[in-house]
Amino acid sequence: MRKPFVAGNWKMNKTVAEATELATGLKGSLAGVTEVDIAVCPVATALGAVSAALCCSNIAVGAQNMYWEASGAFTGEIAPPMVKELATYVIIGHSERRQFFGETDETVNKKIKAALAHGIKPIICIGESLEQNQAGETVDFVGGQIKGAFAGISAADAATVTLAYEPIWAIGTGLTATPEDANAIIRKAIRDVLVELYDDATAEAIRVQYGGSVKPHNMADFIAMQEIDGALVGGASLKVDDFTAIVKAAT
Ligand code: PGA
């Protein structure tokens, strides 16, 4: 049985003061929820303040990105040991990073290996564009992203990661995949490929979130699906009431 996992991706929103206020609100509204693993992923500048605000609570903190080298002349980047000081999770390969910041399957793979080596839990994003979806290429494309992400990673390490299946056309658009379609794609393009790469036990151990316009009113339909173990939530994670309702719908 995989424990549900709901993570909020705050993207490039919230100053330190605003992020602290949101985190403090969630700490109160989600107190006592133990049936779901919960994380919030603020901007890097707010990681310290949010991790302090959420100290000793049931809400973990994640970074939105990091570089793979441990230190050095890489202006503007943050390194795994720096993330590790402040966060439990790191989102890797979000489609916005692939689209706007040149992230590739190869850099995603390097970052996953770096996260695992430093004891940070990766949340790895995969998902197809509208064109790929309409051309019937989703299963091949997402399956390829999975193969790229997991290259050279052992079964024992693989079993500890979280995947977020996020159709790009559903992100921030108010459109969602139907729960049934998302479930079928996760089965065919993700779990079946993981069985091929590893084995049944590893494929069944990995948690897969759905992402893309998850809201309080649709979370229950996604979590009801066999292959969907939670959600990666963007816009609706910026409001205490909405994120709280989504987490509670996942119980
Ligand atoms: P959204 O974003 O919930 O605003 O669609 C999801 C994501 O990008 O992780």
Side-chain angles (χ1 to χ4, degrees), residues 9 11 94 96 166 170-173 211-215 232-236:
N9 174 9
K11 306 194 179 183
H94 190 280
E96 286 150 16
E166 301 200 301
I171 294 176
T173 58
S213 299
V214 172
K215 307 289 177 201
L232 184 58
V233 185

Side-chain angles (χ1 to χ4, degrees), residues 25-40:
L26 291 170
K27 188 175 177 176
S29 67
L30 289 169
V33 175
T34 53
E35 313 92 309
V36 182
D37 285 339
I38 310 165
V40 295

Side-chain angles (χ1 to χ4, degrees), residues 5-247:
F5 178 23
V6 176
N9 174 9
W10 294 358
K11 306 194 179 183
M12 197 176 73
N13 295 292
K14 306 282 179 193
T15 61
V16 171
E18 291 164 349
T20 306
E21 189 185 338
L22 177 55
T24 306
L26 291 170
K27 188 175 177 176
S29 67
L30 289 169
V33 175
T34 53
E35 313 92 309
V36 182
D37 285 339
I38 310 165
V40 295
C41 305
V43 285
T45 51
L47 279 172
V50 169
S51 76
L54 292 174
C55 169
C56 321
S57 77
N58 54 339
I59 307 175
V61 176
Q64 296 177 13
N65 178 43
M66 66 176 196
Y67 197 57
W68 57 81
E69 294 289 349
S71 67
F74 302 101
T75 301
E77 295 292 317
I78 57 172
M82 300 162 191
V83 171
K84 175 77 181 164
E85 279 184 310
L86 303 171
T88 307
Y89 294 95
V90 61
I91 298 172
I92 292 176
H94 190 280
S95 61
E96 286 150 16
R97 295 218 55 88
R98 295 182 192 251
Q99 193 179 345
F100 304 129
F101 302 102
E103 200 85 80
T104 64
D105 286 342
E106 197 186 354
T107 60
V108 165
N109 176 252
K110 285 184 174 173
K111 291 180 179 189
I112 297 167
K113 285 177 175 157
L116 292 167
H118 286 86
I120 306 163
K121 298 177 178 174
I123 300 172
I124 305 156
C125 301
I126 62 269
E128 82 288 1
S129 67
L130 185 61
E131 296 70 37
Q132 289 164 330
N133 184 281
Q134 288 174 342
E137 294 165 5
T138 300
V139 170
D140 280 352
F141 180 74
V142 175
Q145 287 183 313
I146 293 289
K147 287 179 187 156
F150 284 91
I153 292 172
S154 72
D157 276 343
T160 67
V161 311
T162 299
L163 294 170
Y165 168 59
E166 301 200 301
I168 296 170
W169 48 272
I171 294 176
T173 58
L175 302 171
T176 65
T178 66
E180 292 74 15
D181 283 352
N183 192 65
I185 289 161
I186 292 169
R187 183 69 245 174
K188 281 200 215 105
I190 300 178
R191 273 201 228 281
D192 286 352
V193 173
L194 291 167
V195 171
E196 211 180 287
L197 293 176
Y198 300 105
D199 49 55
D200 282 336
T202 307
E204 290 302 321
I206 294 174
R207 291 192 288 195
V208 184
Q209 300 170 324
Y210 168 79
S213 299
V214 172
K215 307 289 177 201
H217 71 85
N218 59 27
M219 183 65 214
D221 296 334
F222 285 108
I223 200 72
M225 296 290 121
Q226 167 140 15
E227 305 294 350
I228 298 178
D229 307 311
L232 184 58
V233 185
S237 71
L238 295 170
K239 294 201 181 102
V240 171
D241 290 354
D242 285 355
F243 191 64
T244 301
I246 289 169
V247 170

